């Protein structure tokens, strides 16, 4: 018999590793399973891969921060260097999109990297976690998954980790690929790709191999009657960059724009104008208020924040940051 591919699975926590107190409970449950428990619960994994595993964290993904991301980055890099043919990360769905976008910009490998979660705890009727985990490992073992960047699998669908975003706190098909579309689908547990391997337009790589923290970047959300004092508070809290989840196509109040200009002129803190709308983008024409104003393009605030952190960490000038954002469609 051929040797099975060696796959490393990293556990981060989330609903996929959670337990409720009854099988009708789908909210208010707690993380209670280890990555070993999850793997042991899917005996058919033994038929597709030789698995090793590591618990990197075991929390709801709302509790994950830049230190966890850097630890995960280091663990994945080591696994690929150590000869594993693919990696799977089990993760809470609330912030999968940030982690997957971050890994897309920092892991320099064409080997399959799959991030997977669940929308129902392990104790629920029709819990989705184990099938999602099985499919994630299948993707990680497949030659056809190479060169696509991090992939997010949920509810039979395979999405680009660069683009995907969570749209519902309860729906099993919570991950939407936006206008870019899903990359593939599972049918009877066989992968059906819609496209050959390709990286997103505007994809770039950041070397973070020598750092142990990422700069603080704070997101501020637009609302009627916005208090522009929040911008100064964010800078006082240590923000080295700001991201605005603006109205419509990145609009912000005049008072807020003036405050953002002020913190740029006084402290050199740049602001990325993103959008609170689920879809759409912020064109360069809507971020011309001052030199340190940057258009997010199509990137939502949480992804724009990661890109700005990486750009500031790389000591990019504001012109280089603008170039980074404008290489993403619509920026
Ligand atoms: N469905 C989920 O995974 C949500 C969860 N609470 C999380 O850790 O993000």
């Amino acid at each position: 018999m051929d040797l099975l591919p060696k796959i490393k699975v990293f556990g981060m926590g989330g609903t996929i590793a959670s337990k409720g107190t009854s099988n009708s409970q789908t909210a208010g449950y707690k993380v209670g399973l280890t990555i070993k428990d999850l793997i042991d619960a899917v005996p058919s994994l033994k038929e597709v891969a030789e698995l090793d595993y590591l618990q990197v964290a075991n929390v709801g993904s709302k509790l994950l921060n830049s230190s966890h991301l850097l630890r995960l980055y280091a663990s994945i890099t080591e696994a690929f260097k150590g000869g594993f043919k693919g990696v799977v990360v089990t993760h809470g769905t609330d912030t999968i999109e940030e982690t997957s976008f971050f890994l897309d910009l920092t892991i320099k490998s064409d080997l399959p990297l799959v991030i997977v979660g669940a929308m129902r705890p392990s104790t629920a009727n029709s819990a989705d976690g184990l099938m999602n985990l099985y499919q994630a490992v299948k993707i990680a073992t497949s030659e056809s998954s190479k060169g696509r960047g991090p992939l997010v699998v949920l509810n039979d669908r395979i999405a680009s980790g660069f683009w995907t975003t969570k749209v519902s706190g309860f729906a099993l098909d919570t991950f939407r690929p936006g206008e870019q579309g899903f990359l593939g689908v599972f049918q009877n547990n066989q992968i059906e790709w819609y496209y050959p391997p390709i990286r997103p337009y505007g994809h770039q790589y950041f070397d973070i191999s020598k750092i142990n923290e990422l700069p603080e970047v704070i997101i501020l959300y637009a609302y009627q009657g916005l208090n522009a004092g929040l911008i100064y508070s964010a800078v006082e809290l240590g923000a080295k960059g700001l991201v605005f989840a603006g109205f419509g196509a990145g609009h912000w109040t005049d008072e807020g724009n003036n405050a953002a200009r002020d913190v740029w002129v006084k402290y050199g803190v740049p602001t990325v104008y993103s959008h609170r709308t689920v879809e759409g983008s912020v064109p360069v024409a809507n971020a011309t208020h001052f030199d340190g104003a940057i258009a997010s393009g199509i990137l939502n605030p949480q992804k724009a924040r990661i890109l700005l952190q990486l750009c500031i960490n790389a000591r990019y000038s504001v012109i280089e940051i603008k170039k980074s954002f404008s290489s993403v469609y619509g920026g």
Side-chain angles (χ1 to χ4, degrees), residues 14-15 60-61 92-94 118-119 166:
T15 296
S61 69
T93 57
D94 285 348
M119 291 304 290
K166 182 173 179 173

Side-chain angles (χ1 to χ4, degrees), residues 143-157:
E143 281 288 313
S144 68
S145 307
K146 285 183 176 173
R148 297 176 183 273
L151 300 164
V152 174
V153 64
L154 208 86
N155 200 44
D156 288 341
R157 296 189 171 98

Side-chain angles (χ1 to χ4, degrees), residues 13-16 29 31 59-62 91-95 117-120 166 169:
T15 296
I16 192 168
Y29 45 79
V31 171
V59 293
S61 69
K62 65 185 177 192
H91 196 295
T93 57
D94 285 348
T95 65
M119 291 304 290
R120 292 184 181 151
K166 182 173 179 173

Side-chain angles (χ1 to χ4, degrees), residues 105-272:
L105 301 190
T106 56
I107 296 284
K108 203 172 191 180
S109 171
D110 269 352
L111 292 170
L113 166 51
V114 191
I115 306 153
V116 63
M119 291 304 290
R120 292 184 181 151
S122 62
T123 41
N125 292 318
S126 295
D128 52 335
L130 300 185
M131 184 64 94
N132 290 345
L133 175 60
Y134 177 78
Q135 293 184 345
V137 173
K138 268 210 104 162
I139 298 170
T141 60
S142 174
E143 281 288 313
S144 68
S145 307
K146 285 183 176 173
R148 297 176 183 273
L151 300 164
V152 174
V153 64
L154 208 86
N155 200 44
D156 288 341
R157 296 189 171 98
I158 310 165
S160 150
F162 188 94
W163 287 123
T164 199
T165 194
K166 182 173 179 173
V167 297
S168 160
F170 287 99
L172 297 189
D173 62 343
T174 188
F175 283 103
R176 295 287 159 79
E179 305 205 354
Q180 296 74 29
F182 285 110
L183 302 185
V185 69
F186 271 85
Q187 301 195 42
N188 192 24
N189 277 320
Q190 298 306 313
I191 308 167
E192 309 282 353
W193 295 109
Y194 297 137
Y195 307 104
I198 191 131
R199 305 309 293 271
Y201 190 58
H203 178 265
Q204 52 211 300
Y205 168 71
F206 291 87
D207 180 2
I208 56 160
S209 57
K210 292 186 184 65
I211 63 164
N212 39 37
E213 63 180 344
L214 283 169
E216 175 90 86
V217 169
I218 290 180
I219 299 175
L220 298 175
Y221 198 90
Y223 57 91
Q224 289 181 338
L226 174 83
N227 185 337
L230 287 171
I231 291 159
Y232 295 104
S233 303
V235 173
E236 272 164 31
L237 284 170
K240 300 289 179 282
L242 300 173
V243 174
F244 289 170
F247 306 104
H251 304 129
W252 201 249
T253 64
D254 291 347
E255 201 192 351
N257 286 329
N258 290 339
R261 178 190 299 111
D262 200 31
V263 299
W264 165 250
V265 172
K266 286 197 183 121
Y267 313 111
V269 173
T271 294
V272 172

